[in-house]
Amino acid sequence: DADKALEEAKKREDSLRAKSRADMLSYNERMILAKKEKDKRDREEMLKAKGNAGLMVDGNAFRGMNREDYQKIRDEQARQRAELSARRRREREEERGYANELDRQRRELARLENQRLEQKRLKAAQLAKDLEAQRLAKKKKGKQDNSIEDAFFEKFGKGAKFNPNGNMKDALDEQIRDKALRDRMDKERDLEY
């Protein structure tokens, strides 16, 4: 029984580990796909931004403009590119921080899960030891004797209270008088207070 319980506990522990590992791999694959899609979108945005910048640099696109207006436009585009670059850098840092936090949480959960499984395994082992000890004690003790001896019945008297004097009538009357006297004294003391 103890070996079977221990084996079952190990099988459950192995299946939980396998499920946890499969979940982790699935999560990692989803994160990789999401990262690839985001990188693709970022590249497309960058190509669009470069394409628009190329139009702005083209001298034919701004006929009738003087150098100051053209310089203002170039300055504005440079400012927008710097903002876009800073925003992307911030987003990357946030994503990195978020990924690190998720990884930290995942590791902590895995540690807690392993700790819980270890405690469960130790409890199962302790239970197996206890069951084995009980089985050996029962085997060693042999057949239990539930017979009732006469000494058991001799403890009981005829009154509600144990009478060490047995069935002697005078002793019983004396006990009754003593009790009545004690009760009367208790009442008097209660009335004084």
Side-chain angles (χ1 to χ4, degrees), residues 17-164:
R17 279 191 186 141
K19 184 177 182 286
S20 175
R21 185 172 177 83
D23 290 344
M24 190 184 321
L25 291 174
S26 172
Y27 169 77
N28 288 342
E29 288 175 6
R30 288 194 308 264
M31 291 299 286
I32 289 170
L33 288 175
K35 176 75 173 146
K36 285 181 181 179
E37 289 177 17
K38 184 168 183 339
D39 289 345
K40 183 179 176 183
R41 284 194 309 270
D42 288 345
R43 276 195 303 273
E44 289 173 357
E45 287 179 13
M46 189 184 303
L47 289 175
K48 285 180 184 178
K50 284 183 180 180
N52 290 341
L55 288 175
M56 296 297 186
V57 173
D58 188 5
N60 295 330
F62 299 105
R63 285 193 184 155
M65 295 184 98
N66 59 20
R67 280 191 184 271
E68 289 177 18
D69 294 338
Y70 185 66
Q71 189 59 40
K72 286 180 185 176
I73 291 173
R74 290 188 68 172
D75 290 343
E76 179 64 22
Q77 288 176 344
R79 186 189 63 77
Q80 288 174 353
R81 280 193 298 272
E83 280 181 12
L84 182 63
S85 170
R87 183 176 51 120
R88 286 185 180 156
R89 190 171 35 256
R90 266 194 323 272
E91 287 175 356
R92 277 194 303 270
E93 289 172 5
E94 287 174 3
E95 287 174 6
R96 207 173 299 127
Y98 182 70
N100 288 340
E101 180 65 20
L102 285 178
D103 188 48
R104 188 191 65 74
Q105 289 176 359
R106 180 193 53 78
R107 279 183 289 175
E108 183 64 19
L109 287 174
R111 185 188 68 77
L112 290 173
E113 181 67 18
N114 287 339
Q115 185 180 7
R116 187 185 66 80
L117 290 174
E118 180 65 17
Q119 288 176 351
K120 194 173 184 181
R121 186 187 64 74
L122 290 174
K123 283 182 182 177
Q126 183 62 39
L127 178 64
K129 283 181 185 177
D130 292 345
L131 289 174
E132 183 65 19
Q134 286 177 0
R135 187 183 63 77
L136 290 175
K138 188 174 182 181
K139 192 176 193 181
K140 185 177 179 182
K141 187 175 181 181
K143 190 174 181 181
Q144 185 174 351
D145 184 23
N146 287 338
S147 62
I148 300 173
E149 297 178 7
D150 291 337
F152 174 77
F153 293 106
E154 291 173 3
K155 293 178 187 177
F156 301 104
K158 300 207 187 238
K161 194 173 185 184
F162 177 69
N163 186 359

